[in-house]
Amino acid sequence: MSAPELVGGSAADRERIAHELVTVTIDGRQVQVPKGTGLVEAAAAAGVEIPVFCYEPRVGAGIGACRMCLVEIEGMPKLQTGCTTPVTDGMVVHTAGTSEQAAAGQSATMEFLLLNHPLDCPVCDKGGECALQDLSFRYGSGKTRMTFRKRSLEKPIPISPTIALDRERCIMCFRCTRFSQEVAQDEELSAVNRGALSMIATFEDEPYRGPFSGNVTELCPVGALTSTQYRFKARPWEYEQAASVCGLCPVGCNVAVQSREGRVQRVLSRNHPEVDRGWLCDKGRFSYSHLYSEERILTPRRRGVRELEELGWEQALDELEGMIERAQGEVVLALSGSETLELAYALAKIVRQGAGSDRVVLPEQAADALDPFRVPISALAEAEEIVVFEECPVLDRAPLIELWLKQARRNGAHVTRIGPSGDIQRGRGEAALACQELAEKESALGKRLRAAERAILLWSGGGGAGGCHLAALAHALGLHEKEGSGALLLPASPNARGVAEAWAAAGDENRQPRQIGLLVVSGDEAASEPQVRQLAEHARATVALTLFAGDSGEWADLVLPATGYLERSGTMRNLEGRLQRLRGATGSPARRELSWLAELAGRLGVDLPGSEAALFTELSAKVLDGISLASLGDRAPLPPRVEAQTFEAARAESPPTLLGGPLELIRYRALFSGPEVEHVPELSFQRPAAEVEISPEDADRRGISGGNEVVVRSNGTRVTLRARINAALLPGMVRVAAEHCAELARGVEVSRP
Amino acid sequence: MAKAKHPILVLAGAEQGDLRALEDYRRAGGYASLEKARKLGPGATLEQIKQAAVRGRGGAGFQMGQKASFLPSPGQAKSPIYLVVNADESEPGAFKDREIINRVPHRLIEGIQIAALAIGAERCFVYIRGEYLSEYEVLSAALAEAEAAKLVSVPILVHRGAGAYICGEETALLESLEGKRGQPRSKPPFPALVGLYNSPTLINNVETIATVPKVIELGGEAYAKIGVKDSTGTRVFSLSGDVVRGGNYELPHGTSFRELIYDCGGGIAAGRKLKAIIPGGSSSPVLPADQVDLSMDFDSVQKAGSFLGSASVIVIDERACMVQLALRIGQFYMNESCGKCTPCREGTRWIEMILRKIEQGRASHAELDLLADVCDRVLGKCLCALGDSDAMAVASYVKHFRAEFEAHIEQGGCPYGDTSSLAGVRSPVDEIYRGRIGQEAAL
């Protein structure tokens, strides 16, 4: 009866238990494992396989549903499920390999699972990577005794535009529903009916709408939940696979990019246990098809009389070379935080060494002030106290962090969110103040933070300078001295810090031209920045390197086709400071940047290596202490913490007064936004609605009810949106997704039309 | 009601009429045991229950005192201790809890308060079968009256189920009570350590709890002298089927089936012959008529290859086609399988389809062997007892009445024709299954 105390418990309990070893005998093999280890894991350690379908520790403790892991345990009259049994000292186990009783149980399970399964492997996307197929071949009988008509059901059912459900194939392992209920906590998937009529369903045929829904396609051990984009595309053995990293947000989830015939066919998780634990957000998983959008720019374009005109590469490079010459050193480079270190470095070299200018526009970045407080993201799961300064929702900035926060809460952590719709409500721009107060004033939260063995601070939005404020708080709390404690900043872009490092590596002069002879905009992210757009208006000439011409096409004189992160090789530094490798998955329909940048560098007399590896070696020697690419491996390690230094934090200032209207507009970049989402029709249902979130108080005062059409206006700009009452929102604030904000200023008024 | 020579304990005082009003229950000595228990204190109260050796009346027959001793003591427990009363009486043949709630609701409430005191429970829950609406109302009214009289020191919440048989399984009941889909949990951990809301929980059947006031009144030792060894005390037997006077009869353990059926129930009408007895609700393996003199106690019935279970005795006379009976039982379990574990979800459906084919006279001898084999493949492989119940029950019909199954196969139909007392007693399974999953047994 000692087993239950092993389930759950605090991290400290688990640690204590982990140090106690027990000896178990499985199929005659003795093995020593930490007390509390599950039988399936212990068997694996002994070199014995206990096959499973429903067991998936990442969605929670074993539930013993599929009965594939039935084993005989000496002293127990009935067969037991390996997935629900923690081993105890002296336990003697016989699996199906050595026990007739267990083998009979397993063979019964196999027969029952296949009884109504359609066996349509030849037309099933899961074929070749299906647990049911694999285990049937090994443990199944090869013959059926089922003489009745099999269950037949409507199929496939699109439970969302991205996921198809085939209920005939489903073996009711409940992995997907447990993911939905326990991990993503969206409660969207559920089992309905009973017995042989049981099936997976969404509520009333509403689509499964959640930022992490795609994970169920990977969790499904059979072909019941499949990706609609990937349906009937190819077989798993036909793929080339690249071990890469997602380049859409600063988490840097490790991904396997699978391509066939030069096209990415799907993106799967590659489980870095410290970063993503094998989960991906739907943007990272499903947005790859933007690469094959008809709107993508594949050839250079020049501003013609009416619109952009295509031109050849030779001409384009002539044009660019001429633009640089005419600028006479008055060049400004605007870098996206989504570029790799290598590409940013190559561009920086051309601008600093070739064009003779050191003026740059860098993305909001994490300060190195947080390096003494570095922790792996996975430390969140073990933390006791977590404080999130959340001016921008964590979900929109770094979606996987939100899953880790949910995991932390399940493990018993206190998670306190401070922000416009937080547990502690603070207005926009007050995060630094809140940080300072927590460090200086006595509070219940402060006491808990000081008492906690493992506390983590997160900064989401509220300015890149937040790193300094957060570091001051972390220092005051002594987090640098506590293992498992730390502070992380969630920057707005995937590789902001890496891009800044690359810029620094390319030169040390500081020539700041006053005029803008040429603005070089690298990446769609920079092209969409209002600040960059303003620079473009002042520039005599502008060149943009983008995937799409949505933004740059309006003002650039020359648009050069860029490649996407799935097509690129190189490195990126994520929000923890972990340097991770991207591996170009496939040939790109656009020309690789480095190939023409090397040509341009040659014309400008700049020495630029033509490969990412050589670029990395060069910049590593300058700014990364000469670390090698090989040392990053497939699952990159976290660099060690640096020594903490005492420093004087900048005093936080009150936010500036509001102009334009009485309500403060919080303009946020929603997770499902940006060109990578806009060009994927399957994701359009996830995009932010054209609505304004308003507090109940402000809504009441204006006679607005939820669902009303309202006008949001400031300084002559009017936008019509639907009102959504958000009870968590601080009065005085309204939230609108950036794509529905148009030119609204920071102060707005909302009214019935 | 049973004859006066038998001690009446659980239903005591209700011989002449229901004891629903607090005043009436008090006049019959009600709530004196609660007072006595309060004086005894938790330890001594629990000791009395242990000495009484009361075995669970829900079906499994686990000793209540022993189950309670698995709970952490209130001082050690990290989270509150809960007492849950299982009133989800749904086993075909069982209707004793309903009688207890209807006739002596205060005895249940008093039992809850004593048990809660004994284990240091912070809160009590009664999970009552959804279809028991009037019983819910009777219990709620009694509870309100007891609360008003300040008799309830540990709060009691009465929660209505929503019509699933599986929610009578203790861990599925807990899931349902927590607001989740009613599916059993894998054990261990047992509810005594990880129960309702992950807290230590004691779960007992209505009758078990309603026995407690009498245990305290008589004293554990005296109570244990009633009945037989290892099956102490009385039992409320639900008698139904082909019998003249069906109903609930409270008798001591050790009474024979014959006494119950013939002395209490008035035997079978028109002098028809007894064919079989289902001793403890539909899930217990059937006993052939020659077992009629068997003693009704846990161990004797188990030795005869069945279970006393919930003490729900169903009498089958000679007119019944046993294949039809097995089919009807198979349909029940198929319909009530929760769908969580593979052998039960798939096996109960397959068993039903084969049974139907046999009943319709379209099966082969090989399929009769297949039926037995499928039962064997379900048995002992499932997450909870539901699949086992189906497999064991169905297998028992094949075992004891194999000739009837073979006659169906050989004659190409039911040898009883329309004369079977069970002809037409069937669940609308085909209609349900054809509509939802395009599957029917008859091809």
Side-chain angles (χ1 to χ4, degrees):
Chain A
M1 296 294 286
S2 63
E5 67 182 58
L6 304 171
V7 180
S10 73
D13 285 345
R14 287 198 292 275
E15 210 167 286
R16 180 177 51 75
I17 291 163
H19 288 122
E20 216 175 303
L21 291 177
V22 295
T23 306
V24 287
T25 311
I26 301 165
D27 287 355
R29 301 186 197 189
Q30 265 201 0
V31 65
Q32 279 207 321
V33 291
K35 191 179 173 186
T37 304
L39 185 48
V40 172
E41 286 82 3
V48 176
E49 189 203 37
I50 297 180
V52 297
F53 289 111
C54 71
Y55 183 48
E56 166 51 86
R58 290 182 302 146
V59 299
I63 57 167
C66 75
R67 318 305 283 178
M68 191 61 193
C69 62
L70 286 173
V71 294
E72 192 186 333
I73 299 175
E74 286 188 10
M76 291 180 136
K78 278 177 70 177
L79 292 174
Q80 301 292 314
T81 42
C83 73
T84 60
T85 310
V87 292
T88 52
D89 200 31
M91 191 182 258
V92 181
V93 181
H94 303 283
T95 73
T98 57
S99 150
E100 257 180 53
Q101 203 196 345
Q106 198 175 71
S107 125
T109 298
M110 233 27 271
E111 178 170 35
F112 288 132
L113 284 174
L114 294 175
L115 204 61
N116 278 296
H117 188 82
L119 291 172
D120 57 345
C121 310
V123 293
C124 176
D125 281 328
K126 201 76 175 183
E129 55 181 8
C130 171
L132 185 61
Q133 193 179 43
D134 293 348
L135 294 180
S136 293
F137 269 101
R138 286 160 57 197
Y139 302 104
S141 91
K143 272 189 200 160
T144 181
R145 301 192 290 174
M146 173 72 165
T147 53
F148 301 97
R149 184 185 296 164
K150 291 189 175 191
R151 263 198 292 272
S152 69
L153 294 158
E154 186 195 340
K155 62 187 265 185
I157 297 167
I159 58 166
S160 81
T162 49
I163 302 170
L165 167 65
D166 185 319
R167 288 170 170 157
E168 289 180 357
R169 294 178 187 153
C170 176
I171 58 167
M172 297 303 292
C173 68
F174 302 98
R175 283 185 181 202
C176 57
T177 56
R178 283 181 287 155
F179 172 81
S180 168
Q181 285 156 20
E182 305 281 323
V183 181
Q185 293 171 17
D186 52 36
E187 305 274 345
E188 296 257 339
L189 276 187
S190 173
V192 296
N193 302 336
R194 299 198 287 249
L197 299 170
S198 301
M199 48 185 75
I200 302 301
T202 55
F203 180 74
E204 299 270 306
D205 297 326
E206 286 283 310
Y208 183 3
R209 194 190 301 269
F212 305 104
S213 67
N215 290 299
V216 301
T217 62
E218 246 183 288
L219 279 171
C220 183
V222 297
L225 290 162
T226 52
S227 152
T228 54
Q229 284 175 305
Y230 161 76
R231 228 174 133 69
F232 305 139
K233 284 288 190 289
R235 288 300 191 183
W237 56 84
E238 297 171 328
Y239 288 125
E240 288 170 66
Q241 176 162 315
S244 196
V245 168
C246 181
L248 290 173
C249 91
V251 174
C253 295
N254 288 213
V255 292
V257 185
Q258 298 188 332
S259 46
R260 180 179 177 227
E261 291 169 358
R263 269 175 87 107
V264 176
Q265 300 292 351
R266 61 175 175 175
V267 172
L268 299 179
S269 165
R270 205 160 53 76
N271 198 347
H272 192 315
E274 288 186 350
V275 177
D276 51 57
R277 218 186 166 206
W279 309 127
L280 294 180
C281 75
D282 286 1
K283 186 177 181 183
R285 183 184 300 276
F286 293 127
S287 68
Y288 63 86
S289 68
H290 75 274
L291 293 173
Y292 313 109
S293 159
E294 283 181 7
E295 287 162 64
R296 182 174 169 189
I297 293 180
L298 297 176
T299 51
R301 292 178 193 195
R302 174 174 56 189
R303 184 151 305 282
V305 184
R306 275 201 213 117
E307 55 190 2
L308 293 175
E309 297 166 348
E310 290 192 18
L311 73 166
W313 270 106
E314 200 56 35
Q315 267 179 296
L317 289 182
D318 289 347
E319 185 97 347
L320 182 53
E321 191 185 349
M323 286 166 118
I324 292 171
E325 261 170 37
R326 285 193 295 278
Q328 295 183 329
E330 294 183 332
V331 177
V332 176
L333 174 61
L335 278 168
S336 288
S338 50
E339 306 298 21
T340 58
L341 268 92
E342 290 76 4
L343 184 56
Y345 178 65
L347 285 164
K349 255 186 122 171
I350 284 173
V351 169
R352 302 188 84 165
Q353 296 172 19
S357 167
D358 299 299
R359 194 168 157 195
V360 69
V361 179
L362 289 172
E364 172 197 298
Q365 57 155 310
D368 56 7
L370 288 175
D371 289 356
F373 311 101
R374 181 174 277 162
V375 274
I377 295 172
S378 57
L380 285 167
E382 305 293 328
E384 296 158 50
E385 290 288 341
I386 300 171
V387 176
V388 190
F389 296 93
E390 192 175 27
E391 200 158 301
C392 296
V394 167
L395 180 71
D396 293 325
R397 284 226 149 179
L400 252 287
I401 300 291
E402 189 62 44
L403 273 195
W404 283 104
L405 289 175
K406 289 183 196 300
Q407 168 86 33
R409 286 190 57 166
R410 269 203 304 171
N411 290 353
H414 273 114
V415 179
T416 311
R417 296 170 189 256
I418 302 176
S421 49
D423 311 302
I424 298 175
Q425 287 188 321
R426 295 301 294 253
R428 192 177 164 208
E430 291 181 5
L433 266 177
C435 219
Q436 193 172 302
E437 282 169 19
L438 201 52
E440 293 170 0
K441 289 187 191 164
E442 275 224 359
S443 66
L445 176 59
K447 258 186 216 148
R448 287 212 313 268
L449 278 172
R450 283 187 171 82
E453 277 179 44
R454 291 172 303 280
I456 298 181
L457 311 174
L458 293 178
W459 181 279
S460 178
C468 294
H469 298 290
L470 202 62
L473 174 59
H475 199 270
L477 296 170
L479 300 189
H480 51 293
E481 285 160 356
K482 291 179 178 173
E483 207 182 316
S485 294
L488 293 167
L489 181 139
L490 318 184
S493 52
N495 186 34
R497 187 161 167 198
V499 163
E501 285 172 314
W503 170 261
D508 50 13
E509 288 184 79
N510 190 21
R511 293 155 296 181
Q512 296 288 325
R514 296 211 168 174
Q515 303 281 314
I516 309 175
L518 173 64
L519 174 68
V520 181
V521 180
S522 152
D524 296 75
E525 178 194 305
S528 69
E529 288 288 333
Q531 184 201 355
V532 171
R533 190 194 177 95
Q534 278 171 15
L535 288 179
E537 280 165 18
H538 294 113
R540 292 200 296 275
T542 309
V543 57
L545 284 65
T546 51
L547 282 168
F548 298 96
D551 292 297
S552 59
E554 288 177 26
W555 38 258
D557 301 299
L558 182 65
V559 180
L560 298 173
T563 57
Y565 70 95
L566 293 167
E567 297 161 343
R568 287 178 179 171
S569 290
T571 51
M572 284 194 176
R573 196 185 282 286
N574 81 345
L575 64 91
E576 306 158 282
R578 193 188 299 268
L579 204 54
Q580 304 195 102
R581 286 187 74 172
L582 278 76
R583 289 180 177 83
T586 175
S588 166
R591 188 175 171 189
R592 284 173 63 237
E593 286 92 341
L594 284 188
S595 101
W596 59 264
L597 281 175
E599 206 178 312
L600 179 67
R603 295 189 192 193
L604 299 172
V606 176
D607 177 26
L608 189 75
S611 81
E612 290 88 356
L615 280 166
F616 182 84
T617 309
E618 197 176 303
L619 85 98
S620 170
K622 289 182 184 158
V623 292
L624 303 173
D625 299 328
I627 59 162
S628 71
L629 262 188
S631 71
L632 303 182
D634 272 352
R635 287 180 181 78
L638 187 65
R641 286 181 169 184
V642 302
E643 193 83 13
Q645 288 171 352
T646 41
F647 59 95
E648 203 55 38
R651 298 304 295 176
E653 286 166 13
S654 296
T657 20
L658 217 52
L659 297 171
L663 294 170
E664 171 142 26
L665 172 69
I666 303 176
R667 170 199 291 261
Y668 70 99
R669 211 161 73 190
L671 172 60
F672 291 99
S673 65
E676 299 88 356
V677 170
E678 285 158 21
H679 294 94
V680 179
E682 292 89 345
L683 286 176
S684 63
F685 82 109
Q686 297 264 35
R687 290 174 64 183
E691 57 186 20
V692 52
E693 288 171 56
I694 187 165
S695 69
E697 291 87 340
D698 289 325
D700 278 354
R701 209 165 295 145
R702 292 164 175 79
I704 294 168
S705 319
N708 281 169
E709 198 168 84
V710 294
V711 174
V712 184
R713 58 176 194 280
S714 72
N715 296 346
T717 304
R718 290 166 59 92
V719 181
T720 304
L721 298 168
R722 205 158 283 284
R724 186 155 74 87
I725 312 296
N726 179 352
L729 193 62
L730 184 67
M733 309 265 150
V734 292
R735 293 180 83 239
V736 179
E739 59 197 274
H740 299 301
C741 278
E743 307 285 315
L744 288 171
R746 214 162 62 88
V748 296
E749 179 54 288
V750 179
S751 58
R752 302 285 303 269
Chain B
M1 267 300 124
K3 293 170 193 168
K5 63 174 178 176
H6 302 302
I8 302 294
L9 306 177
V10 171
L11 295 170
E15 292 88 343
Q16 306 308 320
D18 300 343
L19 280 189
R20 289 185 188 172
L22 177 58
E23 196 191 336
D24 296 340
Y25 182 64
R26 281 220 152 141
R27 203 174 302 130
Y31 289 106
S33 294
L34 177 58
E35 236 168 87
K36 188 173 168 189
R38 283 183 178 147
K39 280 182 198 139
L40 284 173
T45 303
L46 188 56
E47 196 47 44
Q48 294 297 316
I49 295 170
K50 280 185 193 166
Q51 280 175 7
V54 178
R55 289 179 69 168
R57 292 348 189 192
F62 201 82
Q63 272 206 19
M64 182 195 180
Q66 202 182 349
K67 203 168 174 181
S69 67
F70 294 146
L71 293 163
S73 62
Q76 294 172 326
K78 286 181 198 157
S79 45
I81 295 171
Y82 296 122
L83 173 67
V84 175
V85 180
N86 186 346
D88 191 52
E89 183 174 59
S90 315
E91 177 89 353
F95 42 89
K96 62 186 177 66
D97 295 342
R98 169 185 207 173
E99 182 100 1
I100 293 167
I101 294 170
N102 263 329
R103 311 196 74 170
V104 286
H106 283 287
R107 186 156 290 132
L108 177 60
I109 295 166
E110 187 181 7
I112 292 171
Q113 289 302 303
I114 298 170
L117 172 100
I119 62 168
E122 223 169 79
R123 214 166 246 286
C124 310
F125 299 84
V126 179
Y127 187 98
I128 187 166
R129 178 179 175 176
E131 292 87 340
Y132 281 4
L133 176 59
S134 64
E135 290 74 11
Y136 167 77
E137 286 166 351
V138 168
L139 184 61
S140 300
L143 182 59
E145 223 186 330
E147 281 169 345
K150 307 234 178 299
L151 290 162
V152 179
S153 51
V154 188
I156 301 173
L157 183 117
V158 185
H159 179 89
R160 292 182 65 205
Y165 169 74
I166 192 61
C167 291
E169 196 282 338
E170 59 179 11
T171 55
L173 184 154
L174 295 179
E175 289 280 298
S176 174
L177 196 51
E178 288 180 11
K180 299 173 186 161
R181 179 178 162 89
Q183 289 188 324
R185 300 173 182 169
S186 184
K187 292 186 278 194
F190 290 95
L193 293 176
V194 184
L196 186 64
Y197 305 113
N198 287 331
S199 300
T201 305
L202 179 68
I203 310 177
N204 278 123
N205 172 256
V206 166
E207 189 185 350
T208 316
I209 293 289
T211 300
V212 170
K214 281 290 169 184
V215 168
I216 300 302
E217 183 190 317
L218 302 172
E221 263 181 58
Y223 181 89
K225 288 192 182 120
I226 304 166
V228 294
K229 188 178 175 292
D230 292 331
S231 293
T232 62
T234 61
R235 205 64 192 274
V236 180
F237 290 92
S238 298
L239 179 65
S240 65
D242 299 325
V243 64
V244 174
R245 286 191 301 276
N248 286 301
Y249 297 92
E250 185 174 352
L251 300 166
H253 277 121
T255 309
S256 72
F257 285 106
R258 186 183 292 281
E259 283 176 81
L260 173 68
I261 298 169
Y262 291 95
D263 297 354
C264 302
I268 302 169
R272 283 190 291 268
K273 277 195 343 212
L274 177 69
K275 185 171 190 179
I277 304 164
I278 299 177
S282 62
S283 63
S284 59
V286 70
L287 295 173
D290 59 13
Q291 299 285 339
V292 69
D293 289 309
L294 195 66
S295 153
M296 295 192 293
D297 64 80
F298 287 105
D299 297 347
S300 302
V301 180
Q302 193 161 355
K303 262 183 224 144
S306 188
F307 308 103
L308 188 56
S310 53
S312 313
V313 179
I314 305 172
V315 180
I316 314 292
D317 77 20
E318 57 189 338
R319 297 167 303 157
C321 164
M322 298 311 262
V323 179
Q324 285 174 351
L325 183 55
L327 173 61
R328 185 64 190 86
I329 287 171
Q331 286 179 337
F332 176 79
Y333 288 100
M334 174 188 69
N335 278 331
E336 296 298 342
S337 166
C338 80
K340 181 171 178 179
C341 80
T342 309
C344 178
R345 180 182 66 244
E346 302 293 337
T348 54
R349 175 73 178 133
W350 199 11
I351 288 170
E352 193 273 344
M353 290 197 286
I354 302 170
L355 274 172
R356 182 95 63 93
K357 205 170 168 188
I358 295 171
E359 200 269 328
Q360 291 169 342
R362 296 179 300 106
S364 63
H365 285 283
E367 278 166 311
L368 182 55
D369 293 336
L370 176 65
L371 175 65
D373 190 55
V374 173
C375 289
D376 190 49
R377 299 200 126 202
V378 171
L379 193 60
K381 323 278 192 302
C382 301
L383 182 65
C384 79
L386 193 146
D388 285 357
S389 298
D390 184 38
M392 268 191 294
V394 170
S396 74
Y397 291 90
V398 180
K399 182 184 162 197
H400 294 298
F401 301 96
R402 194 174 178 100
E404 277 191 40
F405 284 77
E406 285 169 345
H408 279 75
I409 294 166
E410 279 150 19
Q411 296 176 21
C414 182
Y416 289 84
D418 293 338
T419 66
S420 163
S421 55
L422 293 166
V425 179
R426 200 179 284 175
S427 153
V429 166
D430 275 351
E431 288 67 26
I432 301 167
Y433 279 72
R434 196 186 301 125
R436 297 214 195 140
I437 59 174
Q439 188 181 44
E440 55 197 285
L443 277 184

